[in-house]
Amino acid sequence: MIEIGKINRLTIAKKLDNQCYLDGGELGELVLVDVANAARQIGDNVEVFVYIDGKNQTVATTQKPKAQVDEVAWLKVVSLSHAGAFLDWGLPKDLLLPFSEQKGKLVEGRSCLVRLFLDENNRIAASMLLDDFIQDEAFYYKEGQAVELIIADFTELGFKAVVDHKYWGVLYKNEVFQPLKRGQQLTGHIKKVRPDHRLDLILGQEKYGEKVDATSAKILAVLAKHGGHIALTDKSPPEMIYDTFGVSKKVFKQAIGGLYKQRKIVIEEKGIRLSETP
């Protein structure tokens, strides 16, 4: 079944004067609106994005948009008009964000977080009202499972993120050790599925013991590179520790504690130093 607003794999059924027509099944023949059709032949399978154009015709293109229907994306506002705002989504015809689907003031040149949907006429549109589409309760996820995240907002707890374009989840700020911004896409993991089926998220998934061991080795390497001394201790700000080693303060403290017990380092008031004891 062909899905409007999504990538489909279709077969070229007819070719006339370098214009290709695709087998659209129940939708009939679809025009492939690409200019470069000379090399394509009848019977070729083509990955195309299917949509309804300004003439109310269902057409296809091999150009890939920045987002498909049912997906969330961070898109730039290219113009404002009486019909609403228009967004750059990677296709020649800009994407409409109707007034009824807007939230807050929009400014040309700035971006906003939207979810793509089909309106009552099967035309693709965007909405900033994510709560109308994104669900709080998620099922079938397991702890440790990798998921795709889009940062949506900042809260007192941390960061609100969209999980796999479908569900809300939370990254707690005391467990995030890198700068994040709205619209940023990254891979995370399910830290916990709460009894109410809401999702707690985490960015790293390396086992804690393995992370401490890896950090210990990195500390020794950095010390050797910097003459045996660095100006970091377990009292240093978490941001400085993360900028140097890419880990939380807790992992860093565990690592230097282990190195100290092994007599590989000396912990001083203003830093740590390689031990002279073999």
Side-chain angles (χ1 to χ4, degrees), residues 170-202:
V170 176
L171 286 161
Y172 293 96
K173 59 185 176 183
N174 64 337
E175 297 175 336
V176 174
F177 307 101
Q178 66 186 75
L180 297 177
K181 57 184 180 180
R182 292 191 71 225
Q184 183 175 348
Q185 299 183 44
L186 65 167
T187 299
H189 292 82
I190 303 298
K191 178 188 176 185
K192 181 180 180 181
V193 180
R194 289 187 265 163
D196 59 3
H197 300 290
R198 298 182 182 230
L199 300 176
D200 289 343
L201 309 169
I202 194 166

PDB file of all heavy atoms in Angstrom, residues 170-202:
ATOM      1  N   VAL A 170      12.498  11.690  29.346  1.00  0.00           N
ATOM      2  CA  VAL A 170      13.229  12.700  30.104  1.00  0.00           C
ATOM      3  C   VAL A 170      14.691  12.288  30.254  1.00  0.00           C
ATOM      4  O   VAL A 170      14.996  11.151  30.620  1.00  0.00           O
ATOM      5  CB  VAL A 170      12.613  12.902  31.501  1.00  0.00           C
ATOM      6  CG1 VAL A 170      13.448  13.885  32.317  1.00  0.00           C
ATOM      7  CG2 VAL A 170      11.186  13.412  31.381  1.00  0.00           C
ATOM      8  N   LEU A 171      15.582  13.243  29.965  1.00  0.00           N
ATOM      9  CA  LEU A 171      17.005  13.123  30.295  1.00  0.00           C
ATOM     10  C   LEU A 171      17.243  13.995  31.522  1.00  0.00           C
ATOM     11  O   LEU A 171      17.019  15.212  31.471  1.00  0.00           O
ATOM     12  CB  LEU A 171      17.875  13.616  29.138  1.00  0.00           C
ATOM     13  CG  LEU A 171      17.986  12.735  27.901  1.00  0.00           C
ATOM     14  CD1 LEU A 171      18.471  13.564  26.724  1.00  0.00           C
ATOM     15  CD2 LEU A 171      18.928  11.573  28.157  1.00  0.00           C
ATOM     16  N   TYR A 172      17.688  13.409  32.626  1.00  0.00           N
ATOM     17  CA  TYR A 172      17.872  14.187  33.849  1.00  0.00           C
ATOM     18  C   TYR A 172      19.191  14.958  33.780  1.00  0.00           C
ATOM     19  O   TYR A 172      20.213  14.427  33.366  1.00  0.00           O
ATOM     20  CB  TYR A 172      17.837  13.266  35.064  1.00  0.00           C
ATOM     21  CG  TYR A 172      16.461  12.672  35.268  1.00  0.00           C
ATOM     22  CD1 TYR A 172      16.141  11.407  34.768  1.00  0.00           C
ATOM     23  CD2 TYR A 172      15.469  13.395  35.927  1.00  0.00           C
ATOM     24  CE1 TYR A 172      14.869  10.877  34.933  1.00  0.00           C
ATOM     25  CE2 TYR A 172      14.198  12.872  36.099  1.00  0.00           C
ATOM     26  CZ  TYR A 172      13.904  11.613  35.596  1.00  0.00           C
ATOM     27  OH  TYR A 172      12.649  11.104  35.749  1.00  0.00           O
ATOM     28  N   LYS A 173      19.130  16.239  34.194  1.00  0.00           N
ATOM     29  CA  LYS A 173      20.280  17.123  33.993  1.00  0.00           C
ATOM     30  C   LYS A 173      21.521  16.679  34.767  1.00  0.00           C
ATOM     31  O   LYS A 173      22.635  16.953  34.328  1.00  0.00           O
ATOM     32  CB  LYS A 173      19.921  18.566  34.363  1.00  0.00           C
ATOM     33  CG  LYS A 173      19.463  18.779  35.787  1.00  0.00           C
ATOM     34  CD  LYS A 173      19.031  20.231  35.977  1.00  0.00           C
ATOM     35  CE  LYS A 173      18.467  20.481  37.370  1.00  0.00           C
ATOM     36  NZ  LYS A 173      17.981  21.877  37.516  1.00  0.00           N
ATOM     37  N   ASN A 174      21.345  15.976  35.893  1.00  0.00           N
ATOM     38  CA  ASN A 174      22.520  15.510  36.630  1.00  0.00           C
ATOM     39  C   ASN A 174      23.162  14.292  35.989  1.00  0.00           C
ATOM     40  O   ASN A 174      24.168  13.778  36.475  1.00  0.00           O
ATOM     41  CB  ASN A 174      22.147  15.200  38.088  1.00  0.00           C
ATOM     42  CG  ASN A 174      21.151  14.064  38.221  1.00  0.00           C
ATOM     43  OD1 ASN A 174      20.411  13.770  37.281  1.00  0.00           O
ATOM     44  ND2 ASN A 174      21.128  13.419  39.370  1.00  0.00           N
ATOM     45  N   GLU A 175      22.564  13.810  34.877  1.00  0.00           N
ATOM     46  CA  GLU A 175      23.139  12.676  34.149  1.00  0.00           C
ATOM     47  C   GLU A 175      23.539  13.059  32.723  1.00  0.00           C
ATOM     48  O   GLU A 175      23.870  12.197  31.924  1.00  0.00           O
ATOM     49  CB  GLU A 175      22.129  11.523  34.116  1.00  0.00           C
ATOM     50  CG  GLU A 175      21.795  10.981  35.493  1.00  0.00           C
ATOM     51  CD  GLU A 175      20.709   9.910  35.471  1.00  0.00           C
ATOM     52  OE1 GLU A 175      19.903   9.882  34.520  1.00  0.00           O
ATOM     53  OE2 GLU A 175      20.677   9.104  36.410  1.00  0.00           O
ATOM     54  N   VAL A 176      23.497  14.358  32.430  1.00  0.00           N
ATOM     55  CA  VAL A 176      23.894  14.852  31.108  1.00  0.00           C
ATOM     56  C   VAL A 176      25.150  15.685  31.273  1.00  0.00           C
ATOM     57  O   VAL A 176      25.176  16.649  32.044  1.00  0.00           O
ATOM     58  CB  VAL A 176      22.778  15.704  30.470  1.00  0.00           C
ATOM     59  CG1 VAL A 176      23.251  16.320  29.163  1.00  0.00           C
ATOM     60  CG2 VAL A 176      21.540  14.846  30.228  1.00  0.00           C
ATOM     61  N   PHE A 177      26.197  15.331  30.546  1.00  0.00           N
ATOM     62  CA  PHE A 177      27.490  15.990  30.716  1.00  0.00           C
ATOM     63  C   PHE A 177      28.014  16.536  29.395  1.00  0.00           C
ATOM     64  O   PHE A 177      29.205  16.563  29.133  1.00  0.00           O
ATOM     65  CB  PHE A 177      28.495  15.012  31.335  1.00  0.00           C
ATOM     66  CG  PHE A 177      27.985  14.377  32.593  1.00  0.00           C
ATOM     67  CD1 PHE A 177      27.467  13.091  32.579  1.00  0.00           C
ATOM     68  CD2 PHE A 177      27.968  15.075  33.786  1.00  0.00           C
ATOM     69  CE1 PHE A 177      26.975  12.509  33.733  1.00  0.00           C
ATOM     70  CE2 PHE A 177      27.477  14.503  34.944  1.00  0.00           C
ATOM     71  CZ  PHE A 177      26.980  13.215  34.916  1.00  0.00           C
ATOM     72  N   GLN A 178      27.089  16.977  28.559  1.00  0.00           N
ATOM     73  CA  GLN A 178      27.448  17.604  27.306  1.00  0.00           C
ATOM     74  C   GLN A 178      26.385  18.641  26.973  1.00  0.00           C
ATOM     75  O   GLN A 178      25.246  18.522  27.413  1.00  0.00           O
ATOM     76  CB  GLN A 178      27.527  16.565  26.175  1.00  0.00           C
ATOM     77  CG  GLN A 178      26.198  15.931  25.818  1.00  0.00           C
ATOM     78  CD  GLN A 178      26.334  14.818  24.804  1.00  0.00           C
ATOM     79  OE1 GLN A 178      26.779  13.726  25.122  1.00  0.00           O
ATOM     80  NE2 GLN A 178      25.957  15.106  23.568  1.00  0.00           N
ATOM     81  N   PRO A 179      26.757  19.671  26.236  1.00  0.00           N
ATOM     82  CA  PRO A 179      25.753  20.683  25.886  1.00  0.00           C
ATOM     83  C   PRO A 179      24.704  20.118  24.937  1.00  0.00           C
ATOM     84  O   PRO A 179      25.035  19.385  24.002  1.00  0.00           O
ATOM     85  CB  PRO A 179      26.587  21.787  25.216  1.00  0.00           C
ATOM     86  CG  PRO A 179      27.831  21.097  24.748  1.00  0.00           C
ATOM     87  CD  PRO A 179      28.084  20.000  25.726  1.00  0.00           C
ATOM     88  N   LEU A 180      23.448  20.444  25.187  1.00  0.00           N
ATOM     89  CA  LEU A 180      22.351  20.016  24.334  1.00  0.00           C
ATOM     90  C   LEU A 180      21.555  21.242  23.904  1.00  0.00           C
ATOM     91  O   LEU A 180      21.493  22.228  24.634  1.00  0.00           O
ATOM     92  CB  LEU A 180      21.423  19.031  25.069  1.00  0.00           C
ATOM     93  CG  LEU A 180      22.037  17.700  25.508  1.00  0.00           C
ATOM     94  CD1 LEU A 180      21.000  16.886  26.276  1.00  0.00           C
ATOM     95  CD2 LEU A 180      22.555  16.909  24.325  1.00  0.00           C
ATOM     96  N   LYS A 181      20.945  21.175  22.737  1.00  0.00           N
ATOM     97  CA  LYS A 181      20.128  22.285  22.262  1.00  0.00           C
ATOM     98  C   LYS A 181      18.844  21.752  21.640  1.00  0.00           C
ATOM     99  O   LYS A 181      18.772  20.597  21.209  1.00  0.00           O
ATOM    100  CB  LYS A 181      20.901  23.132  21.241  1.00  0.00           C
ATOM    101  CG  LYS A 181      21.396  22.362  20.034  1.00  0.00           C
ATOM    102  CD  LYS A 181      22.235  23.253  19.142  1.00  0.00           C
ATOM    103  CE  LYS A 181      22.738  22.468  17.914  1.00  0.00           C
ATOM    104  NZ  LYS A 181      23.556  23.322  17.036  1.00  0.00           N
ATOM    105  N   ARG A 182      17.840  22.608  21.584  1.00  0.00           N
ATOM    106  CA  ARG A 182      16.547  22.211  21.028  1.00  0.00           C
ATOM    107  C   ARG A 182      16.704  21.796  19.572  1.00  0.00           C
ATOM    108  O   ARG A 182      17.421  22.421  18.794  1.00  0.00           O
ATOM    109  CB  ARG A 182      15.542  23.350  21.122  1.00  0.00           C
ATOM    110  CG  ARG A 182      15.124  23.696  22.537  1.00  0.00           C
ATOM    111  CD  ARG A 182      13.942  24.646  22.539  1.00  0.00           C
ATOM    112  NE  ARG A 182      12.726  23.970  22.111  1.00  0.00           N
ATOM    113  CZ  ARG A 182      11.854  24.469  21.253  1.00  0.00           C
ATOM    114  NH1 ARG A 182      12.077  25.639  20.678  1.00  0.00           N
ATOM    115  NH2 ARG A 182      10.759  23.802  20.941  1.00  0.00           N
ATOM    116  N   GLY A 183      16.033  20.712  19.213  1.00  0.00           N
ATOM    117  CA  GLY A 183      16.097  20.212  17.856  1.00  0.00           C
ATOM    118  C   GLY A 183      17.260  19.279  17.589  1.00  0.00           C
ATOM    119  O   GLY A 183      17.331  18.666  16.520  1.00  0.00           O
ATOM    120  N   GLN A 184      18.159  19.133  18.543  1.00  0.00           N
ATOM    121  CA  GLN A 184      19.324  18.261  18.349  1.00  0.00           C
ATOM    122  C   GLN A 184      18.892  16.795  18.282  1.00  0.00           C
ATOM    123  O   GLN A 184      18.099  16.334  19.092  1.00  0.00           O
ATOM    124  CB  GLN A 184      20.321  18.465  19.485  1.00  0.00           C
ATOM    125  CG  GLN A 184      21.620  17.664  19.344  1.00  0.00           C
ATOM    126  CD  GLN A 184      22.624  18.002  20.437  1.00  0.00           C
ATOM    127  OE1 GLN A 184      22.453  18.986  21.173  1.00  0.00           O
ATOM    128  NE2 GLN A 184      23.659  17.211  20.556  1.00  0.00           N
ATOM    129  N   GLN A 185      19.434  16.079  17.312  1.00  0.00           N
ATOM    130  CA  GLN A 185      19.145  14.662  17.155  1.00  0.00           C
ATOM    131  C   GLN A 185      20.343  13.853  17.622  1.00  0.00           C
ATOM    132  O   GLN A 185      21.480  14.162  17.254  1.00  0.00           O
ATOM    133  CB  GLN A 185      18.841  14.323  15.699  1.00  0.00           C
ATOM    134  CG  GLN A 185      17.629  15.053  15.138  1.00  0.00           C
ATOM    135  CD  GLN A 185      17.319  14.641  13.716  1.00  0.00           C
ATOM    136  OE1 GLN A 185      17.337  13.464  13.375  1.00  0.00           O
ATOM    137  NE2 GLN A 185      17.026  15.609  12.862  1.00  0.00           N
ATOM    138  N   LEU A 186      20.103  12.829  18.411  1.00  0.00           N
ATOM    139  CA  LEU A 186      21.176  11.988  18.898  1.00  0.00           C
ATOM    140  C   LEU A 186      20.614  10.647  19.346  1.00  0.00           C
ATOM    141  O   LEU A 186      19.405  10.487  19.501  1.00  0.00           O
ATOM    142  CB  LEU A 186      21.939  12.662  20.032  1.00  0.00           C
ATOM    143  CG  LEU A 186      21.235  12.961  21.356  1.00  0.00           C
ATOM    144  CD1 LEU A 186      22.279  13.341  22.411  1.00  0.00           C
ATOM    145  CD2 LEU A 186      20.248  14.107  21.240  1.00  0.00           C
ATOM    146  N   THR A 187      21.500   9.697  19.526  1.00  0.00           N
ATOM    147  CA  THR A 187      21.109   8.362  19.983  1.00  0.00           C
ATOM    148  C   THR A 187      21.203   8.298  21.497  1.00  0.00           C
ATOM    149  O   THR A 187      22.178   8.763  22.091  1.00  0.00           O
ATOM    150  CB  THR A 187      22.005   7.289  19.357  1.00  0.00           C
ATOM    151  OG1 THR A 187      21.869   7.340  17.937  1.00  0.00           O
ATOM    152  CG2 THR A 187      21.606   5.901  19.843  1.00  0.00           C
ATOM    153  N   GLY A 188      20.179   7.754  22.119  1.00  0.00           N
ATOM    154  CA  GLY A 188      20.187   7.554  23.559  1.00  0.00           C
ATOM    155  C   GLY A 188      19.765   6.138  23.894  1.00  0.00           C
ATOM    156  O   GLY A 188      19.662   5.277  23.003  1.00  0.00           O
ATOM    157  N   HIS A 189      19.527   5.892  25.178  1.00  0.00           N
ATOM    158  CA  HIS A 189      19.084   4.566  25.617  1.00  0.00           C
ATOM    159  C   HIS A 189      17.981   4.717  26.664  1.00  0.00           C
ATOM    160  O   HIS A 189      17.883   5.749  27.331  1.00  0.00           O
ATOM    161  CB  HIS A 189      20.251   3.774  26.206  1.00  0.00           C
ATOM    162  CG  HIS A 189      21.290   3.392  25.192  1.00  0.00           C
ATOM    163  ND1 HIS A 189      22.276   4.269  24.791  1.00  0.00           N
ATOM    164  CD2 HIS A 189      21.480   2.248  24.486  1.00  0.00           C
ATOM    165  CE1 HIS A 189      23.044   3.674  23.882  1.00  0.00           C
ATOM    166  NE2 HIS A 189      22.580   2.453  23.692  1.00  0.00           N
ATOM    167  N   ILE A 190      17.173   3.693  26.777  1.00  0.00           N
ATOM    168  CA  ILE A 190      16.149   3.662  27.815  1.00  0.00           C
ATOM    169  C   ILE A 190      16.836   3.323  29.138  1.00  0.00           C
ATOM    170  O   ILE A 190      17.401   2.249  29.292  1.00  0.00           O
ATOM    171  CB  ILE A 190      15.062   2.612  27.504  1.00  0.00           C
ATOM    172  CG1 ILE A 190      14.411   2.881  26.150  1.00  0.00           C
ATOM    173  CG2 ILE A 190      14.013   2.605  28.623  1.00  0.00           C
ATOM    174  CD1 ILE A 190      13.685   4.193  26.042  1.00  0.00           C
ATOM    175  N   LYS A 191      16.806   4.274  30.065  1.00  0.00           N
ATOM    176  CA  LYS A 191      17.375   4.012  31.389  1.00  0.00           C
ATOM    177  C   LYS A 191      16.393   3.218  32.234  1.00  0.00           C
ATOM    178  O   LYS A 191      16.766   2.273  32.934  1.00  0.00           O
ATOM    179  CB  LYS A 191      17.735   5.323  32.083  1.00  0.00           C
ATOM    180  CG  LYS A 191      18.281   5.134  33.489  1.00  0.00           C
ATOM    181  CD  LYS A 191      18.450   6.463  34.205  1.00  0.00           C
ATOM    182  CE  LYS A 191      18.917   6.222  35.644  1.00  0.00           C
ATOM    183  NZ  LYS A 191      18.991   7.485  36.415  1.00  0.00           N
ATOM    184  N   LYS A 192      15.115   3.635  32.152  1.00  0.00           N
ATOM    185  CA  LYS A 192      14.098   2.982  32.974  1.00  0.00           C
ATOM    186  C   LYS A 192      12.723   3.211  32.360  1.00  0.00           C
ATOM    187  O   LYS A 192      12.429   4.291  31.866  1.00  0.00           O
ATOM    188  CB  LYS A 192      14.134   3.564  34.396  1.00  0.00           C
ATOM    189  CG  LYS A 192      13.134   2.949  35.363  1.00  0.00           C
ATOM    190  CD  LYS A 192      13.253   3.604  36.722  1.00  0.00           C
ATOM    191  CE  LYS A 192      12.259   3.022  37.715  1.00  0.00           C
ATOM    192  NZ  LYS A 192      12.350   3.688  39.043  1.00  0.00           N
ATOM    193  N   VAL A 193      11.889   2.164  32.389  1.00  0.00           N
ATOM    194  CA  VAL A 193      10.476   2.307  32.055  1.00  0.00           C
ATOM    195  C   VAL A 193       9.729   2.352  33.386  1.00  0.00           C
ATOM    196  O   VAL A 193       9.668   1.362  34.112  1.00  0.00           O
ATOM    197  CB  VAL A 193       9.966   1.134  31.194  1.00  0.00           C
ATOM    198  CG1 VAL A 193       8.498   1.333  30.870  1.00  0.00           C
ATOM    199  CG2 VAL A 193      10.784   1.009  29.917  1.00  0.00           C
ATOM    200  N   ARG A 194       9.179   3.499  33.720  1.00  0.00           N
ATOM    201  CA  ARG A 194       8.534   3.677  35.016  1.00  0.00           C
ATOM    202  C   ARG A 194       7.204   2.906  35.086  1.00  0.00           C
ATOM    203  O   ARG A 194       6.654   2.532  34.050  1.00  0.00           O
ATOM    204  CB  ARG A 194       8.302   5.164  35.277  1.00  0.00           C
ATOM    205  CG  ARG A 194       9.579   5.928  35.561  1.00  0.00           C
ATOM    206  CD  ARG A 194       9.271   7.354  35.978  1.00  0.00           C
ATOM    207  NE  ARG A 194       9.319   8.266  34.849  1.00  0.00           N
ATOM    208  CZ  ARG A 194       8.786   9.477  34.860  1.00  0.00           C
ATOM    209  NH1 ARG A 194       8.132   9.894  35.924  1.00  0.00           N
ATOM    210  NH2 ARG A 194       8.879  10.258  33.814  1.00  0.00           N
ATOM    211  N   PRO A 195       6.697   2.690  36.292  1.00  0.00           N
ATOM    212  CA  PRO A 195       5.426   1.960  36.422  1.00  0.00           C
ATOM    213  C   PRO A 195       4.276   2.588  35.645  1.00  0.00           C
ATOM    214  O   PRO A 195       3.344   1.884  35.226  1.00  0.00           O
ATOM    215  CB  PRO A 195       5.160   1.991  37.941  1.00  0.00           C
ATOM    216  CG  PRO A 195       6.523   2.102  38.552  1.00  0.00           C
ATOM    217  CD  PRO A 195       7.312   2.956  37.609  1.00  0.00           C
ATOM    218  N   ASP A 196       4.317   3.916  35.439  1.00  0.00           N
ATOM    219  CA  ASP A 196       3.259   4.579  34.661  1.00  0.00           C
ATOM    220  C   ASP A 196       3.564   4.567  33.160  1.00  0.00           C
ATOM    221  O   ASP A 196       2.917   5.262  32.387  1.00  0.00           O
ATOM    222  CB  ASP A 196       3.045   6.011  35.152  1.00  0.00           C
ATOM    223  CG  ASP A 196       4.311   6.869  35.041  1.00  0.00           C
ATOM    224  OD1 ASP A 196       5.335   6.369  34.534  1.00  0.00           O
ATOM    225  OD2 ASP A 196       4.266   8.045  35.446  1.00  0.00           O
ATOM    226  N   HIS A 197       4.572   3.777  32.762  1.00  0.00           N
ATOM    227  CA  HIS A 197       4.973   3.584  31.365  1.00  0.00           C
ATOM    228  C   HIS A 197       5.624   4.826  30.737  1.00  0.00           C
ATOM    229  O   HIS A 197       5.726   4.917  29.514  1.00  0.00           O
ATOM    230  CB  HIS A 197       3.778   3.136  30.506  1.00  0.00           C
ATOM    231  CG  HIS A 197       3.179   1.854  30.949  1.00  0.00           C
ATOM    232  ND1 HIS A 197       3.824   0.648  30.797  1.00  0.00           N
ATOM    233  CD2 HIS A 197       1.994   1.587  31.567  1.00  0.00           C
ATOM    234  CE1 HIS A 197       3.064  -0.314  31.286  1.00  0.00           C
ATOM    235  NE2 HIS A 197       1.951   0.224  31.762  1.00  0.00           N
ATOM    236  N   ARG A 198       6.081   5.747  31.569  1.00  0.00           N
ATOM    237  CA  ARG A 198       6.846   6.878  31.059  1.00  0.00           C
ATOM    238  C   ARG A 198       8.322   6.507  31.015  1.00  0.00           C
ATOM    239  O   ARG A 198       8.768   5.611  31.749  1.00  0.00           O
ATOM    240  CB  ARG A 198       6.611   8.122  31.910  1.00  0.00           C
ATOM    241  CG  ARG A 198       5.143   8.562  31.868  1.00  0.00           C
ATOM    242  CD  ARG A 198       4.890   9.817  32.667  1.00  0.00           C
ATOM    243  NE  ARG A 198       3.475  10.154  32.639  1.00  0.00           N
ATOM    244  CZ  ARG A 198       3.001  11.353  32.342  1.00  0.00           C
ATOM    245  NH1 ARG A 198       3.823  12.334  32.020  1.00  0.00           N
ATOM    246  NH2 ARG A 198       1.704  11.576  32.345  1.00  0.00           N
ATOM    247  N   LEU A 199       9.065   7.206  30.164  1.00  0.00           N
ATOM    248  CA  LEU A 199      10.434   6.805  29.881  1.00  0.00           C
ATOM    249  C   LEU A 199      11.460   7.736  30.501  1.00  0.00           C
ATOM    250  O   LEU A 199      11.400   8.957  30.312  1.00  0.00           O
ATOM    251  CB  LEU A 199      10.659   6.755  28.363  1.00  0.00           C
ATOM    252  CG  LEU A 199       9.769   5.795  27.567  1.00  0.00           C
ATOM    253  CD1 LEU A 199      10.059   5.943  26.081  1.00  0.00           C
ATOM    254  CD2 LEU A 199       9.965   4.352  28.023  1.00  0.00           C
ATOM    255  N   ASP A 200      12.391   7.158  31.250  1.00  0.00           N
ATOM    256  CA  ASP A 200      13.587   7.864  31.683  1.00  0.00           C
ATOM    257  C   ASP A 200      14.708   7.481  30.722  1.00  0.00           C
ATOM    258  O   ASP A 200      14.871   6.294  30.390  1.00  0.00           O
ATOM    259  CB  ASP A 200      13.975   7.472  33.109  1.00  0.00           C
ATOM    260  CG  ASP A 200      12.997   8.024  34.142  1.00  0.00           C
ATOM    261  OD1 ASP A 200      12.234   8.941  33.788  1.00  0.00           O
ATOM    262  OD2 ASP A 200      13.007   7.538  35.292  1.00  0.00           O
ATOM    263  N   LEU A 201      15.460   8.471  30.288  1.00  0.00           N
ATOM    264  CA  LEU A 201      16.464   8.256  29.243  1.00  0.00           C
ATOM    265  C   LEU A 201      17.867   8.514  29.757  1.00  0.00           C
ATOM    266  O   LEU A 201      18.068   9.181  30.777  1.00  0.00           O
ATOM    267  CB  LEU A 201      16.184   9.190  28.061  1.00  0.00           C
ATOM    268  CG  LEU A 201      14.763   9.178  27.505  1.00  0.00           C
ATOM    269  CD1 LEU A 201      14.569  10.332  26.532  1.00  0.00           C
ATOM    270  CD2 LEU A 201      14.467   7.841  26.831  1.00  0.00           C
ATOM    271  N   ILE A 202      18.840   8.010  29.030  1.00  0.00           N
ATOM    272  CA  ILE A 202      20.245   8.279  29.329  1.00  0.00           C
ATOM    273  C   ILE A 202      20.999   8.268  28.005  1.00  0.00           C
ATOM    274  O   ILE A 202      20.614   7.561  27.062  1.00  0.00           O
ATOM    275  CB  ILE A 202      20.817   7.232  30.322  1.00  0.00           C
ATOM    276  CG1 ILE A 202      22.145   7.706  30.898  1.00  0.00           C
ATOM    277  CG2 ILE A 202      20.943   5.854  29.676  1.00  0.00           C
ATOM    278  CD1 ILE A 202      22.594   6.903  32.103  1.00  0.00           C
TER     279      ILE A 202
END
